[in-house]
Amino acid sequence: MNQGMASLARSPSAMSITRIPQGHSKILQLLKASKVPYVLPFRRVHIRRSPVCCTKFPQWEPSPATYALTEKAGDKFLDKSSELFETLRSESSDSKDEASITKAEDRTDTTNQPVAQLQFLKWPLWLLGPSVLLGTGMVPTLWLPISTIFIGPNVVSLLSLIGLDCIFNLGCTLFLLMADYCAKSKNLGQASKSKPPVSYQFWNLVATLTGLAIPLMMLFGSQKGYLQPQLPFIPYAVLLGPYILLLSVQMLTEMLTWHWESPIWLVTPVVYEAYRVLQLMRGLKLGVELSAPAWMMHTIRGLVCWWVLILGVQLMRVAWFAGFTARAQRQQSSASADA
């Protein structure tokens, strides 16, 4: 206490030591005697630690890598680091693209395998479909004797003729289903829908309604006595009843194909109209058996001519559609080549 007081304050970087000058010893004794608090001014002395450098390292400890950057090299280092990040990003994006491409190829391979298998199933249908149509429609009409179908102007003959047409309708339905299956695209992901033009729908409705209105007008005129000699209802139903029924089925089938946008909308009327010509020719033979009046025979002949004309128009429509699809494919190929 007589010589001075010292206080030490230590920190992580420096150590400060304070000491009291010797001239203040008398003042301290007086302060102790008078018991008056007095704050002593302390002087701080900073002691710096010198760094210890060790150049030798143990054998098991690797030497640290040192980098010395100058002002000019700093900018180049930053540029190289940015280029490094850009290359990493490009490599990551390239790897993602390659992964997506490999996934897409795997998907196409997996989808092409069932498609290739389904193509083998389509080949027999090209022969099976027309064979079903021939066996259910043409063979009974051409080779079955009329005497086994037509017994007389009665309900039994009417039902037998309707059953014969129902067999054809069953075969026609199977044929159209096979044609729709064969008309689908090879790639299942692509849509194979085909919508007919409005003009085509209007023309088909006009032709079908005209072919339906003519026999109904003949029936109305015969029942009212406008046409002589008058024809009873049962002989009239035997001659034109199956024709009216099958024509109604054709209208319903065509409307369904239009609604479903099936690619067989162009084939459906051709199949029904070809059979209708044979159906009306059978009606001419039955008219001779029934001794039908002349106006009835002329009506059936007029219907035969009408449907032959409509069938020719339908075949012209098929040729037009083939040319239209060829032009569309050329335009698509030219557009893809330009792109």
Side-chain angles (χ1 to χ4, degrees), residues 154-274:
N154 50 28
V155 179
V156 177
S157 299
L158 176 62
L159 293 177
S160 62
L161 293 172
I162 292 175
L164 194 64
D165 292 340
C166 287
I167 293 173
F168 164 75
N169 190 27
L170 179 62
C172 182
T173 304
L174 293 175
F175 170 77
L176 293 177
L177 290 175
M178 294 178 190
D180 180 75
Y181 179 75
C182 292
K184 289 182 178 180
S185 177
K186 295 181 181 180
N187 189 0
L188 298 177
Q190 296 178 357
S192 59
K193 294 183 179 180
S194 177
K195 187 176 181 179
V198 180
S199 60
Y200 176 84
Q201 297 179 9
F202 177 76
W203 167 254
N204 272 22
L205 286 177
V206 169
T208 306
L209 292 176
T210 302
L212 186 62
I214 291 174
L216 294 178
M217 290 174 63
M218 295 296 108
L219 176 62
F220 180 78
S222 175
Q223 295 297 323
K224 293 298 181 179
Y226 298 118
L227 298 173
Q228 294 298 330
Q230 189 174 2
L231 184 66
F233 179 75
I234 295 297
Y236 176 87
V238 170
L239 294 175
L240 293 179
Y243 163 82
I244 295 174
L245 182 61
L246 192 61
L247 186 59
S248 303
V249 174
Q250 178 188 348
M251 291 179 61
L252 179 61
T253 306
E254 288 185 356
M255 289 181 180
L256 289 176
T257 55
W258 298 344
H259 177 70
W260 293 333
E261 297 182 358
S262 175
I264 61 171
W265 57 267
L266 197 60
V267 184
T268 304
V270 176
V271 176
Y272 278 100
E273 289 163 7

Side-chain angles (χ1 to χ4, degrees), residues 6-313:
S7 64
L8 300 175
R10 295 182 180 179
S11 63
S13 60
M15 181 184 296
S16 61
I17 302 173
T18 57
R19 59 183 180 178
I20 302 172
Q22 295 178 0
H24 295 282
S25 59
K26 294 181 180 181
I27 299 172
L28 288 174
Q29 292 177 0
L30 294 174
L31 290 174
K32 285 182 179 181
S34 61
K35 296 182 180 182
V36 178
Y38 178 74
V39 179
L40 297 175
F42 292 97
R43 295 181 181 177
R44 294 182 181 180
V45 178
H46 296 279
I47 300 174
R48 295 183 180 179
R49 290 182 178 180
S50 59
V52 179
C53 298
C54 181
T55 57
K56 295 182 180 180
F57 294 94
Q59 296 180 358
W60 61 83
E61 185 178 358
S63 61
T66 58
Y67 298 95
L69 297 177
T70 59
E71 294 179 356
K72 295 182 179 179
D75 298 334
K76 294 181 180 180
F77 177 74
L78 293 175
D79 293 338
K80 291 181 180 179
S81 62
S82 61
E83 292 177 358
L84 177 63
F85 286 115
E86 288 177 359
T87 53
L88 291 175
R89 290 175 183 175
S90 62
E91 289 178 357
S92 62
S93 62
D94 293 338
S95 61
K96 290 181 181 179
D97 294 337
E98 291 177 357
S100 61
I101 291 171
T102 53
K103 289 181 181 179
E105 290 178 353
D106 295 337
R107 290 177 182 175
T108 52
D109 293 337
T110 54
T111 53
N112 287 330
Q113 289 178 358
V115 171
Q117 295 176 359
L118 292 175
Q119 292 300 318
F120 290 101
L121 298 177
K122 289 183 179 181
W123 292 346
L125 297 180
W126 286 89
L127 185 61
L128 181 61
S131 300
V132 170
L133 190 63
L134 178 64
T136 58
M138 301 299 127
V139 173
T141 304
L142 296 176
W143 276 276
L144 196 62
I146 298 178
S147 60
T148 58
I149 302 172
F150 178 73
I151 303 174
N154 50 28
V155 179
V156 177
S157 299
L158 176 62
L159 293 177
S160 62
L161 293 172
I162 292 175
L164 194 64
D165 292 340
C166 287
I167 293 173
F168 164 75
N169 190 27
L170 179 62
C172 182
T173 304
L174 293 175
F175 170 77
L176 293 177
L177 290 175
M178 294 178 190
D180 180 75
Y181 179 75
C182 292
K184 289 182 178 180
S185 177
K186 295 181 181 180
N187 189 0
L188 298 177
Q190 296 178 357
S192 59
K193 294 183 179 180
S194 177
K195 187 176 181 179
V198 180
S199 60
Y200 176 84
Q201 297 179 9
F202 177 76
W203 167 254
N204 272 22
L205 286 177
V206 169
T208 306
L209 292 176
T210 302
L212 186 62
I214 291 174
L216 294 178
M217 290 174 63
M218 295 296 108
L219 176 62
F220 180 78
S222 175
Q223 295 297 323
K224 293 298 181 179
Y226 298 118
L227 298 173
Q228 294 298 330
Q230 189 174 2
L231 184 66
F233 179 75
I234 295 297
Y236 176 87
V238 170
L239 294 175
L240 293 179
Y243 163 82
I244 295 174
L245 182 61
L246 192 61
L247 186 59
S248 303
V249 174
Q250 178 188 348
M251 291 179 61
L252 179 61
T253 306
E254 288 185 356
M255 289 181 180
L256 289 176
T257 55
W258 298 344
H259 177 70
W260 293 333
E261 297 182 358
S262 175
I264 61 171
W265 57 267
L266 197 60
V267 184
T268 304
V270 176
V271 176
Y272 278 100
E273 289 163 7
Y275 180 78
R276 185 164 298 115
V277 174
L278 296 177
Q279 190 181 30
L280 290 173
M281 296 299 292
R282 184 184 65 192
L284 287 174
K285 295 179 181 180
L286 294 177
V288 175
E289 296 290 334
L290 292 174
S291 300
W295 61 266
M296 189 64 188
M297 300 298 291
H298 290 304
T299 301
I300 296 175
R301 293 189 184 99
L303 288 174
V304 172
C305 296
W306 171 253
W307 287 112
V308 168
L309 177 65
I310 298 302
L311 181 59
V313 173

